[in-house]
Amino acid sequence: LAPPAAGARDADFHAVVLRVQDGDSLLIRRSGQTRSERLRIAGIDAPERHQPHADASRAALAALVEGERVRIIPSKKDRYGRLVATIRLGERDIGLAMLEGGHAWYFRRYRRDLPAELRKPYERAEAMAREEGIGLWRDPAAQAPWEYRTVQRDQRADAAGRERLSPS
């Protein structure tokens, strides 16, 4: 057998979902293993913990996969050491289900983490949920998580700057 090509995906595997951390992050345990690992669903970005709709997004993902045996199709490790992967429960793609339910955004910036054949369906699912006002799309002021993270980061930097400038 030839070695895998450079940049080739790791092999698919099965795992049990131990806990849903938020609308796009889980704790899993590979079948036959004892240690758990953190996983981020490829192609979606769900509301952050203190954002509106975060609880509903987490609950939706938990209802889909918590305690279930799922198939994991890895694409990479992110900068936090989490496995980034597509997740399937039977024939159902979980990232796609989260988009269809209006519980996450299609994370276009990282679309290359998704298999090419899922990019258009993910894009269409988000557009449809948005058009129909499903889930977080009921809120016209819904803020994308990447924008929320930027605002939070800027506010922390501003606060740190003020702290350095204040007289003691």
Side-chain angles (χ1 to χ4, degrees):
L1 282 175
R9 284 193 294 111
D10 288 338
D12 300 3
F13 62 90
H14 286 93
V16 172
V17 177
L18 301 174
R19 186 176 69 230
V20 169
Q21 296 172 310
D22 61 30
D24 57 30
S25 302
L26 326 150
L27 200 60
I28 62 165
R29 186 178 57 239
R30 293 176 191 237
S31 297
Q33 300 285 315
T34 55
R35 97 181 144 62
S36 61
E37 62 187 291
R38 295 178 312 146
L39 181 143
R40 186 171 197 302
I41 300 174
I44 68 170
D45 201 5
E48 293 291 332
R49 186 167 290 134
H50 299 292
Q51 249 187 298
H53 316 291
D55 292 342
S57 179
R58 194 199 80 67
L61 184 57
L64 287 168
V65 298
E66 204 160 65
E68 297 287 347
R69 185 172 184 267
V70 294
R71 185 164 60 105
I72 307 294
I73 302 110
S75 60
K76 70 177 191 181
K77 290 267 186 165
D78 70 9
R79 63 182 175 176
Y80 304 107
R82 295 177 299 189
L83 181 63
V84 177
T86 305
I87 301 175
R88 297 188 72 80
L89 179 60
E91 292 303 308
R92 192 163 196 197
D93 180 279
I94 299 304
L96 186 62
M98 290 296 287
L99 292 168
E100 289 169 342
H103 301 296
W105 279 258
Y106 172 41
F107 210 176
R108 286 167 180 78
R109 178 177 171 193
Y110 293 105
R111 67 183 165 275
R112 286 186 179 86
D113 295 345
L114 272 177
E117 68 273 10
L118 291 178
R119 294 174 193 160
K120 282 289 184 206
Y122 273 43
E123 192 174 321
R124 281 193 300 267
E126 182 199 86
M128 190 72 73
R130 189 184 294 238
E131 271 175 39
E132 295 176 12
I134 296 171
L136 61 85
W137 301 113
R138 273 181 276 213
D139 178 356
Q143 182 181 35
W146 55 88
E147 292 169 1
Y148 176 83
R149 289 189 292 268
T150 298
V151 168
Q152 296 302 305
R153 202 169 20 251
D154 292 350
Q155 287 175 348
R156 284 193 302 273
D158 288 350
R162 283 191 303 277
E163 198 172 287
R164 279 194 307 275
L165 296 174
S166 67
S168 327

